[in-house]
Amino acid sequence: MEAAQLKAKIISNKQLKCNYWHLEFDSGIIAKNALAGQFIEIKVNNGIDPLLRRPISIHSVSGTKVKLIYEVIGKGTQILSERKPGDFLDVIGPLGNGFEYKWLTKKLDNRKTILVAGGMGVAPLVFLAGKIKFYRPLVLIGARKKEQVLCSQEFKALGCKVVTATDDGSLGFKGRVTDLLKGFLSENQKTGKPEHIYACGPQPMLKAVVQISCENNIASQLSLETHMACGFGACLGCVVSTKSGYKRVCKDGPVFMGKELIW
Amino acid sequence: MVKHTKPNLSVNIGNLVLKNPVMVASGTFGYAEEFSCLLDLKRLGAIVTKTITIKPRHGNLPPRTCETPAGMLNSIGLENPGIDNFIKNKLPFLKKLGIPIIVSIAAEDDPGEFYILVGQLDKISAVSAIELNISCPNMQKNILISQDAKETSALVSSVRKLTRKCLITKLSPNVTSISDIALAAQDAGSDAVALINTLSGMSIDVHKCAPRIGSWVGGLSGPAIRPVAVKMVWEAYNKIKIPIIGMGGIMDIDSALEFFFAGSTAISVGTANFINPGVSLEIISGLEKYMTDNGILNLNNITGKLKACEDLAR
């Protein structure tokens, strides 16, 4: 479905915890057309500072509501966090390609699909978990500390099994989420390996996920995050190296097959 | 009864007739496909394609763009599919729009590549005009053709012999005197000049102590460069007679009018396409309204209005 530029009314815009915010806006068109893994481009204000739109993953949709989770990290997201319910947001979306999940076998086995989220990477994976909840995916969430573990309740409410890892050990496994993934795969070698790994998070984490999935011969899909100028394929600014040359994260991604990427 | 006559927005650039003077700048609009769901492309005055070279180009190392105060830096490096792929896979879509298509071209190593490209494009009726991109700052070259009046003159006069299609020469602002280069392009037979290309720039991430784009240096665009661009249009307007296509940080009708008043016959919207894809259509409507409100029937009465006002005051 093609993207549209529209003015969408903010329903709510609240701080979740730490620097993480949760924003809901009303757009029947985007809610209806959005696929898990797609994103939108927001103009946070009317001025020229900041100049560019901000790309943000769609976290979930319900009815005509579109939900986002974002981290306040710079001027753009700071301004976004100050926008009030009732304001209209200038939005383009939905953009990019979503996750592919139609090929999953229809077995009720929660060991067949693993979602690996690092930090803000939970955002598109919640949307995906909603779409594939029938398979009861295992969700591994990594964060620096307990306070930064996001959305575990949402995943659980969808019937997913959730295991967390924190760098400081303040919640769950102490260490990296990719070590958790490695451990899980070696423990479950005999019970059959998963069919698919979906991941979103910081680049070093994604790189490790690809390495682990390749070593175990498991297909992986990653949602990449990068700075973008346009967000809809025109500027060729947000490219990544793949086995078939440079690809635009915004238009050819943001979801890529792990084995396609060159790091 | 007051008689309302609709203002005439059409302009001529060489033998090219535009129904309105608002086009989209090369490199900011791809080959238009990406924009088809975001605005009615048929309403644009013209589309200038992303620059084409003979062979496909992969482009520069990412990251290729970064945001700067009221602007952005880019170093895409002329990524493009090459002329044959362009003609086969991109031109059919553009042709269907029924509006003038201006194909931007560049040489990678040898200026002679321009002759080959022009020779090929000259035969294609769907190509309304050719823009000579002799000002791309992202080719890792020490000096660009448009940074030297003699080289500009030599290239334009050679190309002029190869085609009767409208020729537009795109100029770099990274020069000592833009009007000297514009004059050289005019005297060599260019039908129009397009200015300005991006300003050479650099930005450093101080937390990482690293350049913010992969090729370190890139081209600055957006409202940050607008005053520089307006001044250069003004300078060129005072020295040349051929039409100027003005551009550099146009974001809305007021900034578009600045370029007309300074001396532009037509304008190009660039970076603003990334932020507000429908902005060109807003500018067309704004222009119509401005002319209607001020009783102006013809665009000639806006082009160079600043000079006309100044002359009147003397």
Side-chain angles (χ1 to χ4, degrees):
Chain A
M1 185 63 204
E2 289 184 327
Q5 181 178 4
L6 44 88
K7 297 264 196 282
K9 195 185 219 172
I10 298 174
I11 300 165
S12 67
N13 189 15
K14 293 175 193 153
Q15 191 165 13
L16 273 176
K17 51 184 173 178
C18 301
N19 283 335
Y20 303 115
W21 287 66
H22 181 261
L23 185 146
E24 266 185 350
F25 65 83
D26 187 62
S27 169
I29 296 172
I30 295 179
K32 184 172 161 237
N33 295 324
L35 306 172
Q38 286 189 304
F39 67 97
I40 56 161
E41 278 274 16
I42 299 178
K43 184 77 179 91
V44 297
N45 61 6
N46 291 325
I48 54 170
D49 181 24
L51 182 66
L52 301 173
R53 288 175 179 268
R54 293 295 184 264
I56 297 179
S57 284
I58 299 170
H59 164 254
S60 62
V61 297
S62 69
T64 62
K65 286 184 203 165
V66 180
K67 300 176 191 182
L68 315 171
I69 294 180
Y70 61 97
E71 185 178 7
V72 174
I73 41 173
K75 197 169 199 167
T77 41
Q78 177 62 43
I79 293 167
L80 184 59
S81 73
E82 289 159 11
R83 300 293 301 271
K84 301 276 179 276
D87 282 359
F88 282 85
L89 264 189
D90 179 348
V91 175
I92 299 177
L95 294 163
N97 295 309
F99 293 104
E100 284 285 347
Y101 49 83
K102 292 194 177 85
W103 59 61
L104 296 175
T105 56
K106 293 197 171 178
K107 280 183 202 162
L108 258 178
D109 184 344
N110 62 5
R111 295 176 193 281
K112 287 292 176 192
T113 310
I114 305 180
L115 313 189
V116 185
M120 278 303 305
V122 292
L125 294 177
V126 171
F127 198 176
L128 176 66
K131 297 282 181 190
I132 60 170
K133 60 185 178 187
F134 180 74
Y135 309 108
R136 306 195 42 187
L138 168 69
V139 181
L140 308 179
I141 304 176
R144 262 176 247 124
K145 51 185 180 177
K146 186 182 172 185
E147 293 74 31
Q148 293 177 346
V149 174
L150 299 168
C151 301
S152 57
Q153 289 309 318
E154 288 180 65
F155 283 116
K156 282 176 191 163
L158 290 166
C160 306
K161 185 183 175 192
V162 178
V163 185
T164 55
T166 49
D167 292 351
D168 65 358
S170 52
L171 186 69
F173 174 79
K174 183 174 192 280
R176 297 203 169 116
V177 71
T178 44
D179 291 330
L180 200 59
L181 175 66
K182 251 188 231 170
F184 175 84
L185 294 175
S186 60
E187 275 169 33
N188 292 281
Q189 263 173 346
K190 284 173 197 155
T191 53
K193 66 182 181 188
E195 285 179 359
H196 218 90
I197 297 175
Y198 296 90
C200 184
Q203 199 181 315
M205 182 203 98
L206 294 179
K207 200 175 165 181
V209 168
V210 173
Q211 201 184 341
I212 297 163
S213 55
C214 285
E215 281 165 11
N216 289 275
N217 205 19
I218 304 166
S220 64
Q221 284 180 50
L222 318 174
S223 174
L224 303 188
E225 189 186 57
T226 182
H227 288 290
M228 294 175 185
C230 70
F232 45 86
C235 74
L236 312 183
C238 64
V239 297
V240 284
S241 293
T242 73
K243 285 180 182 161
S244 40
Y246 283 132
K247 294 280 176 192
R248 300 164 293 182
V249 173
C250 68
K251 185 87 180 180
D252 305 310
V255 177
F256 291 92
M257 294 302 292
K259 63 179 183 197
E260 286 300 311
L261 295 166
I262 298 170
W263 302 89
Chain B
M1 277 269 290
V2 183
K3 195 182 167 194
H4 290 286
T5 313
K6 237 185 157 197
N8 179 9
L9 262 66
S10 75
V11 289
N12 290 18
I13 311 269
N15 58 14
L16 179 65
V17 182
L18 307 182
K19 67 180 173 210
N20 70 65
V22 181
M23 37 179 115
V24 286
S26 180
T28 66
F29 216 73
Y31 306 101
E33 290 149 308
E34 285 80 10
F35 286 84
S36 60
C37 59
L38 298 167
L39 74 152
D40 182 2
L41 296 167
K42 292 187 173 78
R43 288 182 57 203
L44 294 169
I47 290 171
V48 188
T49 68
K50 171 125 186 90
T51 298
I52 306 294
T53 49
I54 295 177
K55 288 182 196 155
R57 272 178 70 87
H58 301 301
N60 289 343
L61 192 73
R64 292 174 170 183
T65 65
C66 76
E67 195 175 39
T68 59
M72 61 176 277
L73 276 175
N74 88 78
S75 179
I76 308 299
L78 296 189
E79 178 178 334
N80 80 89
I83 181 90
D84 293 338
N85 277 322
F86 166 75
I87 292 170
K88 195 172 163 224
N89 302 318
K90 304 293 181 187
L91 197 57
F93 174 84
L94 290 163
K95 190 179 170 178
K96 266 192 268 169
L97 299 172
I99 58 169
I101 302 303
I102 302 172
V103 179
S104 170
I105 55 171
E108 290 184 271
D109 302 307
D110 188 286
E113 293 167 37
F114 276 107
Y115 313 151
I116 298 167
L117 289 161
V118 170
Q120 250 180 295
L121 294 172
D122 183 59
K123 297 185 202 118
I124 302 171
S125 61
V127 176
S128 316
I130 297 168
E131 181 171 277
L132 304 173
N133 180 2
I134 53 170
S135 49
C136 175
N138 298 324
M139 302 275 282
Q140 275 95 39
K141 294 217 164 117
N142 294 329
I143 185 155
L144 306 167
I145 294 172
S146 69
Q147 285 172 323
D148 186 292
K150 277 185 193 155
E151 282 204 42
T152 301
S153 173
L155 179 79
V156 175
S157 56
S158 303
V159 170
R160 180 72 284 175
K161 291 177 194 131
L162 302 173
T163 184
R164 294 179 71 183
K165 283 191 195 287
C166 173
L167 263 190
I168 300 164
T169 309
K170 180 131 177 205
L171 305 184
S172 168
N174 305 305
V175 291
T176 319
S177 168
I178 190 101
S179 52
D180 286 353
I181 312 285
L183 193 62
Q186 171 184 277
D187 293 349
S190 193
D191 291 302
V193 285
L195 55 120
I196 57 176
N197 206 321
T198 53
L199 276 160
S200 195
M202 188 168 169
S203 180
I204 298 168
D205 182 333
V206 293
H207 302 291
K208 294 179 187 161
C209 189
R212 291 174 66 209
I213 53 175
S215 53
W216 290 50
V217 174
L220 181 65
S221 65
I225 70 164
R226 191 190 305 148
V228 177
V230 171
K231 181 230 176 198
M232 289 189 163
V233 168
W234 166 251
E235 275 183 9
Y237 180 69
N238 281 293
K239 205 152 175 178
I240 62 172
K241 293 193 171 62
I242 55 172
I244 296 169
I245 301 160
M247 71 198 78
I250 294 174
M251 298 297 286
D252 48 26
I253 177 61
D254 280 5
S255 46
L257 285 173
E258 276 197 75
F259 281 84
F260 284 109
F261 288 8
S264 304
T265 297
I267 56 135
S268 266
V269 175
T271 299
N273 292 317
F274 300 151
I275 301 145
N276 181 11
V279 64
S280 299
L281 305 189
E282 289 171 17
I283 292 171
I284 295 165
S285 309
L287 206 51
E288 216 160 30
K289 183 176 186 304
Y290 174 83
M291 289 170 77
T292 306
D293 290 353
N294 291 278
I296 300 166
L297 292 175
N298 201 305
L299 269 172
N300 295 339
N301 297 322
I302 299 182
T303 296
K305 196 175 178 200
L306 187 70
K307 193 162 192 290
C309 289
E310 189 200 50
D311 291 346
L312 208 63
R314 277 203 190 129

